[in-house]
Amino acid sequence: MSVTERKFGELRTGEEVRLFHLENASGAYAEVLDYGALLVKVCVPDKNGSLVDVVLGYDDLESYEKNGCFFGAVIGRSGNRIEGGKFLLDGQEVILAKNENENNLHSGPDGFEKKMWKVEEIAEEKNSLTLYRISPDGENGFPGEFRIAVKYELTDNNELKITYQGVSNKTTVANLTNHSYFNLSGEGSGDVLGQYLTIHGKYYTPVRDSQSIPTGVYEEVKGTPMDFTREKTIGADIDADFQQLLYTGGYDHNYVTDNYAKGNVRLIASAYSPVTGIAMDVVSDCPGVQFYAGNFIQNEKGKNGHIYEKRHGFCLETQVEPNAVNVEAFHSPVIDAGEVYHSVTGYRFYVKK
């Protein structure tokens, strides 16, 4: 096990960006930048023992400075959408930056994925890297000075564990996630429609229209194209004549995951590529997961000269429900001043026989 680092590039501001390489005993590795705490590579063995990079991304820093698709991004303070870019907190209206229609998406422009992070700890014995930043009071409108740390740990059983921990000096919203796009056939291999997916969620949160704000209720997936409770290919129903899929151009919905209880890390989803034999289990303590099938990727110049197009990767973003801060029936993303925010998500890779 080892953690090494090297220079990745320089920002337009002249700041140096470092790349951290986490490698386990099997030779599998993950790479992370201190810019945005971005996950730029996950290389795991396929059925032939060859290492395959299973996340979409870029080879150069300039592309990550733009990164309109949020490849590999740590999203904060709040993943997904907040309707109207506002909410009530302790009886006061909080106004956020609006960056998608009239809504706040992934916390607004220049979120956590566009900030420099600092190294808190490199633990060789755990094969882990912890990065932190202090989000100032009022950043993108969010109240409170929020100190947040993200730990990446690559275990010897090829699980990439991401742990978020933070505390604010004011009541605020905290709902962090990772926006990596996976392609278990390898980045740049084409679309993911033939890859298999299971989501352990009997309910999802339907959206009102193409702006993707939930209606505020749960609906059963059973009997609809939204049902992934039994393994099926991502492409099996993605183009079905079903209003929810028409609104969003394919899957881009939050699933309410089974057996949620605060702090309960359990299996919430699994995916598999018959091409490489690579499978992935997703475990988390979050109540929901956004399944996004990469419907809006278009002509992205990615790693190794590859061009990424529509549905060339999929996201499984662990979270509370979109717009939860405005919907009493959803799980609350609000934390009190001094309360410790803590969340864990793991992506475990293996070869499926």
Side-chain angles (χ1 to χ4, degrees), residues 83-114:
E83 184 179 12
K86 60 186 177 181
F87 57 90
L88 286 176
L89 199 61
D90 294 336
Q92 300 293 314
E93 187 173 59
V94 175
I95 304 295
L96 305 176
K98 296 176 182 178
N99 63 324
E100 188 195 54
N101 301 309
E102 288 298 303
N103 304 314
N104 176 276
L105 171 65
H106 295 326
S107 303
D110 299 326
F112 285 9
E113 79 284 354
K114 298 288 178 69

Side-chain angles (χ1 to χ4, degrees), residues 177-207:
T177 192
N178 186 280
H179 206 300
S180 288
Y181 291 70
F182 296 97
N183 186 325
L184 301 181
S185 297
E187 65 82 25
S189 65
D191 69 56
V192 295
L193 299 180
Q195 295 175 35
Y196 289 85
L197 178 66
T198 308
I199 299 176
H200 298 289
K202 300 179 187 68
Y203 299 90
Y204 76 108
T205 50
V207 298

